[in-house]
Amino acid sequence: MLWYLAEATSRTFDPDTSHQVNELRMTIEIAIAGTQKVLSLNLGDMHARVRSVLMDVSEEVRFSYLATGDDHLDAALVPGADLMGKNMKSRSLCGADLRGAYLIAADLRDCDLSGADLLGADLRDARLEGADLSRTLYLTQAQLSAAHGDAHTRLPSDFSSPTHWTKNSLRRHSGARRPATTQQLPVSQHPKTSGGKVSGSRSFTGRILQMTQVSLRRD
């Protein structure tokens, strides 16, 4: 909760909301400092208060990106939506409320997610290559680690690209090496054959096949 409240503090422009957020942060931090205080904390009430203030900040931030309307947003983009595998490549998702949405394996490549609320969104295997997440709301490092991205994915300044993103990016740019094509000679023309019969324990074709398999394993 402290992670989300810290972001809420930095994103709200409303003094009253900022005061509420800071009070909640202080209460939680004091409770964490002592076991007895944690036990005496009404977790249900605290959760409800945190949820309320996070939603207030979300509405404030998202509306700032929807000043010209929300015609660019699909009607299906709602909290908790099932967007698994959905192709949304290169779309503007500014100000979208994707809180708790199922974005598993969704194609979000080159999307602009500025001001989008991703609180609790499931981004497992989501494609984020080239997407702009630099101004998203309530994004976590764990969500990024579950998704796929590359060097062109824009992140908030206090986030880092998961290591597998770099590996995937390098693999795509370098391309998979292919074994050189070897022209297979007819058995009768091979220097180690006599009268169309193969001399030795291995045929020329067998050796070529073996070399190709070794090359593929190395690649």
Side-chain angles (χ1 to χ4, degrees):
M1 285 192 289
L2 286 174
W3 172 269
Y4 296 128
L5 289 172
E7 182 171 7
T9 301
S10 66
R11 299 296 289 270
T12 184
F13 293 100
D14 186 327
D16 292 334
T17 301
S18 180
H19 179 69
Q20 281 183 288
V21 173
N22 286 327
E23 277 193 337
L24 287 170
R25 289 179 65 185
M26 187 177 297
T27 301
I28 295 172
E29 288 171 352
I30 291 173
I32 291 174
T35 305
Q36 293 300 321
K37 291 179 180 178
V38 170
L39 295 175
S40 64
L41 193 65
N42 187 329
L43 295 179
D45 176 66
M46 178 58 65
H47 184 273
R49 290 169 62 192
V50 170
R51 181 178 183 276
S52 177
V53 76
L54 292 181
M55 290 182 66
D56 287 344
V57 173
S58 172
E59 185 174 340
E60 178 188 345
V61 172
R62 288 185 296 103
F63 277 18
S64 69
Y65 286 91
L66 300 176
T68 57
D70 59 357
D71 295 341
H72 64 288
L73 295 177
D74 192 313
L77 302 180
V78 295
D82 182 355
L83 302 170
M84 292 189 288
K86 187 175 179 63
N87 184 0
M88 294 179 278
K89 184 180 179 183
S90 302
R91 289 177 54 181
S92 172
L93 301 178
C94 296
D97 191 351
L98 298 173
R99 185 175 69 257
Y102 295 94
L103 291 161
I104 301 170
D107 190 347
L108 299 171
R109 288 176 293 171
D110 300 316
C111 283
D112 187 353
L113 288 148
S114 300
D117 186 342
L118 294 178
L119 178 64
D122 193 337
L123 294 175
R124 284 177 293 170
D125 289 326
R127 299 290 302 276
L128 299 176
E129 294 93 332
D132 186 355
L133 293 93
S134 61
R135 297 295 294 167
T136 53
L137 192 61
Y138 306 139
L139 179 69
T140 67
Q141 189 69 49
Q143 285 173 306
L144 291 179
S145 296
H148 301 285
D150 60 13
H152 301 291
T153 306
R154 297 182 61 188
L155 302 176
S157 58
D158 51 346
F159 282 75
S160 57
S161 298
T163 54
H164 68 274
W165 286 18
T166 304
K167 293 177 182 177
N168 290 342
S169 182
L170 289 174
R171 188 178 296 114
R172 281 192 297 274
H173 287 299
S174 62
R177 291 183 298 164
R178 295 182 179 179
T181 302
T182 305
Q183 183 176 1
Q184 182 178 325
L185 294 173
V187 175
S188 60
Q189 296 180 19
H190 193 267
K192 289 190 178 182
T193 61
S194 176
K197 296 182 179 180
V198 179
S199 60
S201 60
R202 293 177 183 270
S203 69
F204 179 71
T205 303
R207 286 198 297 275
I208 290 297
L209 179 59
Q210 184 184 39
M211 292 168 62
T212 303
Q213 290 174 336
V214 170
S215 176
L216 287 172
R217 284 198 295 270
R218 289 175 178 172
D219 289 346

